[in-house]
Every structure is written in C-alpha cells, then in structure tokens.
Amino acid sequence: MAKRTAKKGSSRPVRLSADRLRKGWPGPAGTRVRLATAADTDTVDALLDTAGARLIPALRSSIEQGTAGAALLEGLDGTTKTFFEDFARRTIGHSMADSMASVSLTLVAVDERDRPIGALSVTAPEPSSSGLWSTGTATSRL
C-alpha cells in the first residue's frame, strides 16, 4: 500500500461556523472573506454588475436587515434539526423571496481597510413553477 503524503500547499478543511462567516477568514493576496453587511450592498451590486448580475431585491433587503442566510447560520451553529426548525419559522407566513433569502449567502473579499473588492452571491434555487424569486436578476448566473 502506498504512503499518503500531503501535497504541497494543501491544507485541512476548516469547519465553518456562523461566527466565522461573520468575522471572516484569511483569503488570497492579503484579503479577508466574510459575510456581506448592510454597508456593503452598494459595492456588492457594483461588483456583481461587472458579471451582468445584481442582488435580488429581497436578498439585498435581508442583507441590510442582517437576516440574509439566517437559517444557514443557525444550522451551522446547531444541527440539521435546528436548521429545519429555523427555516420553517422563516418560511411560514413569509413570501417566497424572503424565505429563500434566509438560505442564501453573499460573501465579500475585503482589503486591509475592510473595503469589498470581490463578491460572491449564492442564492437558493427558484422553484421552477413559481417565478416568485425572479423579481430581480438571479445571481446564480455567475
């Protein structure tokens, strides 16, 4: 049986937590990657626009309110059960767009002054028959 040797430059996977997403972690070329905040939304829109996309209005609103990805963040710090319970609470009585924003994340790469210089917005897939999520340009085209 052959010996397993670590590849040069490889690293072990790091467990993500809600706190780690909020605070960020070191990225390439001196950047830090973190969850987007209300102060970032205009810059994120401008960065996404370079790829022909924009933040979906409900996702932008949830970023500004601090609730974007809330169900995912709850799940990261809890269990599958806590994720589903939180998602159900955020879904019942809410619009499809608001519900989906709770399981969508927008990350930014920031420079040493905490200014966004890159963005990635991952949105929940739209149910094919509803059309409710397409109130804006879907960022999943990236």
Side-chain angles (χ1 to χ4, degrees):
M1 192 184 247
K3 280 187 174 180
R4 290 182 177 242
T5 58
K7 294 180 183 177
K8 190 174 185 177
S10 69
S11 60
R12 299 184 81 151
V14 177
R15 178 165 157 48
L16 278 182
S17 65
D19 190 51
R20 187 172 181 113
L21 275 173
R22 288 184 188 102
K23 290 180 180 177
W25 63 90
T31 61
R32 190 168 49 88
V33 178
R34 63 168 171 74
L35 200 57
T37 65
D40 303 324
T41 54
D42 288 336
T43 305
V44 167
D45 254 342
L47 290 165
L48 292 175
D49 190 46
T50 64
R54 303 280 296 172
L55 283 172
I56 294 170
L59 180 55
R60 181 186 177 103
S61 177
S62 70
I63 292 169
E64 291 169 345
Q65 295 169 11
T67 59
L72 291 176
L73 297 173
E74 182 71 26
L76 283 171
D77 284 345
T79 64
T80 303
K81 182 180 179 191
T82 60
F83 164 75
F84 284 118
E85 288 171 351
D86 191 67
F87 182 66
R89 192 172 51 253
R90 292 175 187 282
T91 303
I92 297 169
H94 298 278
S95 70
M96 175 70 77
D98 289 337
S99 299
M100 292 300 100
S102 75
V103 291
S104 300
L105 290 177
T106 301
L107 302 176
V108 291
V110 296
D111 64 13
E112 64 280 348
R113 292 186 182 163
D114 203 42
R115 295 177 302 194
I117 58 172
L120 170 68
S121 190
V122 181
T123 57
E126 176 182 357
S128 59
S129 61
S130 74
L132 294 173
W133 194 220
S134 53
T135 56
T137 305
T139 55
S140 59
R141 291 190 292 155
L142 296 176

